[in-house]
Amino acid sequence: MLEEKSPQRTSIAQLGEFGLIDHLTKHFEINQPSTIKGIGDDSAVLDFKDKKTVVSTDLLIEGVHFDLAYMPLKHLGYKAVVANVSDICAMNATPTQITVSIAVSNRFPLEALEELFAGITLASKEYHVDVIGGDTTSSQKGLIISITALGEANAEDIVYRSGAKENDLLVVTGDIGAAYMGLQVLEREKQVFQVNPNNQPDLDNYTYLIERQLKPEARKDIKELLEKLEVKPTSMIDISDGLSSEVMHICKQSNVGCTIYEEKLPLDPQLISVCEEFNIDSTTVAINGGEDYELLFTIAMEDFDKIKANPNLTVIGHMTKATEGKHLVTRANQKIELKARGWNALEE
């Protein structure tokens, strides 16, 4: 459907491991003052002085986390970086460096890896992170990408999942659910293509949803925004596995309950329209769909006036006593128990 039809295929075996590393990493630049030594030695050397270091790692496996039938390799490289940068942002920290490791089968020529690393390079520039190392090896079945992200923050600025208090307001950035519906559109068009390869998809009505799936963005801007508003979140997490799952992580770590209001969920108009087309409930998509990479956080009630007029932030509910449970209040004012139906990496 969206397959690259480049005739040039250079075997990566011609370069060898170190030749491949030199070739793929030659465009990476060092921009962070905390990077003393990047690629080229046994270990990277970093100097964060009096700041704290935060570290997160993520694994993406072909056939589990991505489908190359509709995921261009350049977009995949970009998204892999975003997924890890988002975890750093969810700590209210500033991302600074990443390491990139790949396992690749011999069905991938050098040109394919160049596309993948072009996306990684673009994301590293966009988010001002240095690529400081990694590993390459062979794979028997497909492509595996592992990225570790590092960031820095003052100790007093770091936000954990465990700080939410009863009556805190629950806030989400941007809109939610679009990435999931983008995936549904791409999966549908893949099925159509498999039946009739001559039938090229018309995706004009789904551009926003598909962009949210194929080229998401991490909310690196929120840390600075909240600082300007003089708001310190009490807890924070990124929405990668679905809103319901992420809310429940905060509730568990903070020992609180929550109430979310259906009418407050921020949904893009294109999401609502396409949910109607697919005959899927938009609220179900919004609370269970993943890969939005928006931030979900709690703030003290007295900070409401500081954020209420900001178009980037939406208050969707509040935290309660743990004994009151976790609920969604529908538009019909019915109280429904919230369940974690988001992405489960180990689900069969």
Side-chain angles (χ1 to χ4, degrees):
M1 181 171 63
L2 299 174
E3 183 183 0
E4 290 286 341
K5 295 183 171 60
S6 171
Q8 187 175 5
R9 289 179 62 88
T10 304
S11 170
I12 58 177
Q14 293 177 222
L15 283 80
E17 181 181 1
F18 296 108
L20 177 63
I21 292 171
D22 289 342
H23 183 84
L24 293 177
T25 61
K26 62 186 177 184
H27 298 298
F28 293 138
E29 301 173 349
I30 299 300
N31 295 297
Q32 292 288 339
S34 52
T35 305
I36 306 303
K37 176 66 178 178
I39 296 169
D41 218 305
D42 290 309
S43 296
V45 180
L46 309 177
D47 179 11
F48 289 98
K49 296 183 170 61
D50 58 348
K51 292 196 174 185
K52 301 299 181 185
T53 306
V54 294
V55 183
S56 180
T57 192
D58 207 9
L59 193 63
L60 298 176
I61 298 175
E62 183 180 355
V64 178
H65 301 101
F66 60 88
D67 187 336
L68 292 178
Y70 48 73
M71 170 64 83
L73 284 164
K74 188 172 183 179
H75 286 69
L76 177 61
Y78 192 95
K79 184 175 180 177
V81 175
V82 164
N84 285 271
V85 166
S86 183
D87 283 334
I88 303 300
C89 296
M91 300 297 293
N92 203 38
T94 301
T96 50
Q97 288 93 5
I98 59 171
T99 65
V100 179
S101 297
I102 61 169
V104 62
S105 70
N106 58 11
R107 72 181 172 91
F108 290 91
L110 175 63
E111 289 74 21
L113 296 188
E114 287 175 338
E115 278 293 294
L116 178 72
F117 272 73
I120 293 171
T121 303
L122 181 62
S124 69
K125 291 179 179 178
E126 178 69 25
Y127 290 97
H128 306 291
V129 294
D130 293 339
V131 183
I132 59 167
D135 193 18
T136 60
T137 189
S138 60
S139 164
Q140 291 295 316
K141 293 193 174 180
L143 178 61
I144 300 171
I145 306 170
S146 177
I147 291 184
T148 297
L150 298 93
E152 64 177 23
N154 295 319
E156 63 271 19
D157 292 334
I158 297 176
V159 178
Y160 301 92
R161 299 177 183 180
S162 56
K165 304 287 190 298
E166 182 187 346
N167 296 322
D168 279 358
L169 299 177
L170 192 59
V171 184
V172 68
T173 65
D175 60 82
I176 53 177
Y180 176 84
M181 283 311 297
L183 179 62
Q184 302 315 301
V185 170
L186 291 167
E187 284 287 350
R188 181 185 68 180
E189 296 305 320
K190 175 187 173 183
Q191 299 301 323
V192 171
F193 178 79
Q194 287 176 339
V195 172
N196 181 9
N198 294 318
N199 191 340
Q200 291 299 309
D202 181 3
L203 303 175
D204 288 347
N205 294 328
Y206 313 104
T207 51
Y208 179 68
L209 305 185
I210 290 172
E211 182 179 8
R212 292 282 280 181
Q213 171 58 219
L214 296 185
K215 190 177 177 289
E217 300 290 354
R219 297 308 302 259
K220 188 183 177 184
D221 58 316
I222 297 301
K223 180 178 186 291
E224 183 179 353
L225 172 65
L226 293 176
E227 286 173 354
K228 288 181 178 178
L229 294 173
E230 297 182 347
V231 173
K232 168 74 183 291
T234 54
S235 68
M236 187 182 284
I237 193 170
D238 82 326
I239 306 175
S240 56
D241 297 332
L243 178 69
S244 58
S245 296
E246 312 299 9
V247 168
M248 295 180 84
H249 284 313
I250 289 179
C251 288
K252 180 179 179 180
Q253 295 291 327
S254 298
N255 192 30
V256 292
C258 71
T259 299
I260 295 174
Y261 296 91
E262 181 182 22
E263 64 181 3
K264 300 293 186 183
L265 297 174
L267 309 181
D268 186 84
Q270 191 173 100
L271 170 70
I272 297 171
S273 173
V274 176
C275 281
E276 291 175 355
E277 178 187 337
F278 276 68
N279 195 27
I280 298 176
D281 179 62
S282 59
T283 298
T284 300
V285 170
I287 65 175
N288 296 318
E291 296 193 297
D292 289 308
Y293 299 107
E294 296 292 345
L295 295 177
L296 177 72
F297 58 92
T298 54
I299 62 171
M301 183 78 74
E302 52 265 30
D303 284 334
F304 173 68
D305 286 341
K306 297 177 183 177
I307 71 155
K308 66 179 181 181
N310 194 288
N312 293 285
L313 309 174
T314 304
V315 177
I316 61 170
H318 62 273
M319 313 314 285
T320 64
K321 292 180 181 178
T323 53
E324 294 183 23
K326 311 164 198 62
H327 295 93
L328 174 73
V329 176
T330 69
R331 291 184 179 88
N333 209 31
Q334 290 180 305
K335 212 171 189 180
I336 301 172
E337 185 181 358
L338 199 63
K339 295 186 181 296
R341 292 194 175 97
W343 167 256
N344 181 354
L346 301 181
E347 195 170 52
E348 301 240 350

